[in-house]
Amino acid sequence: MLRVVQISKHFGQIKAVNQVSFEVKAGEIYGLLGPNGAGKSTTIRCLSGLTVPDEGECLINGYSIHSEPIKAKQHLGLVPQDLALYQDLSAHENLQFWGRAYGLSGQVLKERQATVLEQVGLDKRAKEPVKNFSGGMKRRLNFACGMIHQPKALLLDEPTVGVDPQSREHLLNAIESLKQQGTAVLYTTHYMQEAERLCDRVGIIDQGKIIAQGSVAELRKQMDEKDLITLEGQFDEADKTKVADFEVIECSPQQMRLMAVNASGHLSELLARFQPQQIHQASVQQANLESLFIKLTGRELRD
Ligand SMILES: Nc1ncnc2c1ncn2[C@@H]1O[C@H](COP(=O)(O)OP(=O)(O)OP(=O)(O)O)[C@@H](O)[C@H]1O
Ligand SMILES: [Mg+2]
């Protein structure tokens, strides 16, 4: 349903998107996981036709968004990171606006308005102007506007940011039911837990490049079943030789990061190799998408 082929986009010196390719099939949720500035929104903007990439191509249901935009957009829904709502209009009127923009009218539009308002839990507040809504309520309405026309492909740019845990659960369930109905979903996030829970496949993106791609299980395998150990304290280069039998990811004056199978079992023996006052804190993280990101980049997902 969605195909991104080798797209790149520069802004001056910044390579916001660098040779990115991926596909999303019908009934699949593909996650783009990456930190602030990684290039997630720029990728979504290229796919939705809001930005023209310097090179490469974006296809929706086989149609190029740039050379056949009308056919391509027919099946596309967009939930942008920056809210696309009219503050003085009610939730109902916003949905009417977006429904009409996507070609709905009459009874069909009315029924869809009622359905999506209920899906995002705003049916009782539908007549109030959006400016009275909380941040989380606006996010939920933003989501409803993007799916009012039941698109076959849906682009979701960090739809749960600023949403309370209960509403987040509501949104994630709604996205899962869209998947069950066969919608292809592209989901960007910097929340590792959301990507792990929701996505059939994940592309980890950093500085415009996809640095790892696969199912969550496949990506975890790239960690070779190793856990990540983070030691905080005071270190110098000589300390590296004390841990030569571990895989050292990072050694800075304040922090050391190591990888090991069954790290918890090795921790006390590892700590005994240092002076007691040298280590202020030690933690073990099991193989997950966050630890893979740290392994690949030496940095955390949230800077
Ligand atoms: N219109 C623009 N003009 C100049 N630079 C831009 C523009 N849009 C994006 N960028 C830059 O491109 C890079 C990628 O930005 P982008 O918004 O795609 O990141 P992101 O992954 O969506 O980040 P976030 O998680 O913060 O939303 C950043 O360095 C950003 O400053
Ligand atoms: Mg963004």
Side-chain angles (χ1 to χ4, degrees):
M1 275 308 300
L2 290 170
R3 181 176 281 177
V4 173
V5 189
Q6 294 278 314
I7 60 164
S8 296
K9 180 73 187 176
H10 301 72
F11 296 107
Q13 296 295 313
I14 297 172
K15 275 189 178 175
V17 175
N18 192 355
Q19 299 276 314
V20 163
S21 299
F22 60 87
E23 287 179 17
V24 192
K25 298 187 178 67
E28 185 179 44
I29 305 178
Y30 182 91
L32 264 187
L33 175 72
N36 289 148
K40 304 181 296 294
S41 294
T42 307
T43 302
I44 289 225
R45 289 174 68 83
C46 290
L47 253 169
S48 57
L50 293 168
T51 296
V52 182
D54 304 329
E55 55 180 348
E57 183 157 48
C58 299
L59 303 167
I60 293 122
N61 202 16
Y63 297 110
S64 160
I65 190 76
H66 304 296
S67 55
E68 300 169 284
I70 294 174
K71 282 184 178 158
K73 283 182 190 171
Q74 209 170 15
H75 300 295
L76 189 67
L78 170 64
V79 178
Q81 184 169 10
D82 298 324
L83 300 173
L85 300 172
Y86 291 98
Q87 300 288 329
D88 290 324
L89 299 185
S90 68
H92 198 265
E93 289 163 335
N94 268 283
L95 285 166
Q96 189 153 356
F97 173 85
W98 284 110
R100 285 195 178 138
Y102 286 124
L104 303 185
S105 61
Q107 194 56 30
V108 176
L109 175 56
K110 267 194 188 144
E111 282 170 17
R112 282 299 296 159
Q113 280 171 296
T115 305
V116 296
L117 279 167
E118 204 193 322
Q119 270 175 339
V120 299
L122 289 173
D123 40 334
K124 296 193 175 61
R125 307 287 299 264
K127 298 260 154 57
E128 276 179 59
V130 165
K131 62 186 171 201
N132 292 359
F133 283 8
S134 71
M137 289 164 71
K138 287 179 188 171
R139 283 254 152 243
R140 279 144 59 193
L141 179 61
N142 199 44
F143 173 74
C145 290
M147 60 149 183
I148 178 96
H149 58 308
Q150 293 179 287
K152 287 185 181 165
L154 186 58
L155 312 177
L156 301 174
D157 198 354
E158 306 212 35
T160 61
V161 168
V163 173
D164 68 61
Q166 206 181 340
S167 305
R168 170 180 298 216
E169 196 52 34
H170 216 91
L171 272 178
L172 296 183
N173 287 337
I175 295 163
E176 276 168 344
S177 80
L178 288 174
K179 167 194 153 81
Q180 299 303 331
Q181 292 159 28
T183 312
V185 179
L186 174 61
Y187 190 94
T188 81
T189 184
H190 59 265
Y191 295 126
M192 187 264 301
Q193 295 90 339
E194 277 188 6
E196 290 199 335
R197 154 159 174 201
L198 202 62
C199 300
D200 300 297
R201 285 186 306 128
V202 174
I204 299 183
I205 184 167
D206 185 46
Q207 298 180 350
K209 267 191 165 316
I210 292 188
I211 54 175
Q213 182 165 229
S215 69
V216 171
E218 284 163 357
L219 289 171
R220 278 213 190 108
K221 251 194 203 145
Q222 287 196 27
M223 295 289 293
D224 302 326
E225 310 296 323
K226 286 181 182 167
D227 308 321
L228 179 76
I229 307 170
T230 303
L231 304 177
E232 283 168 42
Q234 286 158 346
F235 305 100
D236 55 38
E237 280 297 306
D239 288 320
K240 267 194 190 174
T241 57
K242 294 181 187 160
V243 293
D245 49 334
F246 286 78
E247 186 181 340
V248 181
I249 303 291
E250 184 196 348
C251 180
S252 72
Q254 298 86 30
Q255 185 164 274
M256 194 183 272
R257 283 203 162 110
L258 315 157
M259 311 261 304
V261 177
N262 179 23
S264 308
H266 291 106
L267 195 59
S268 55
E269 183 269 321
L270 173 69
L271 293 175
R273 301 181 193 186
F274 296 91
Q275 303 295 328
Q277 67 276 19
Q278 205 180 340
I279 311 271
H280 305 152
Q281 204 171 326
S283 62
V284 173
Q285 199 177 0
Q286 287 187 333
N288 61 25
L289 297 183
E290 172 104 40
S291 57
L292 177 61
F293 186 85
I294 294 169
K295 179 185 169 183
L296 294 173
T297 67
R299 284 176 288 113
E300 285 173 32
L301 256 174
R302 273 186 266 182
D303 308 285

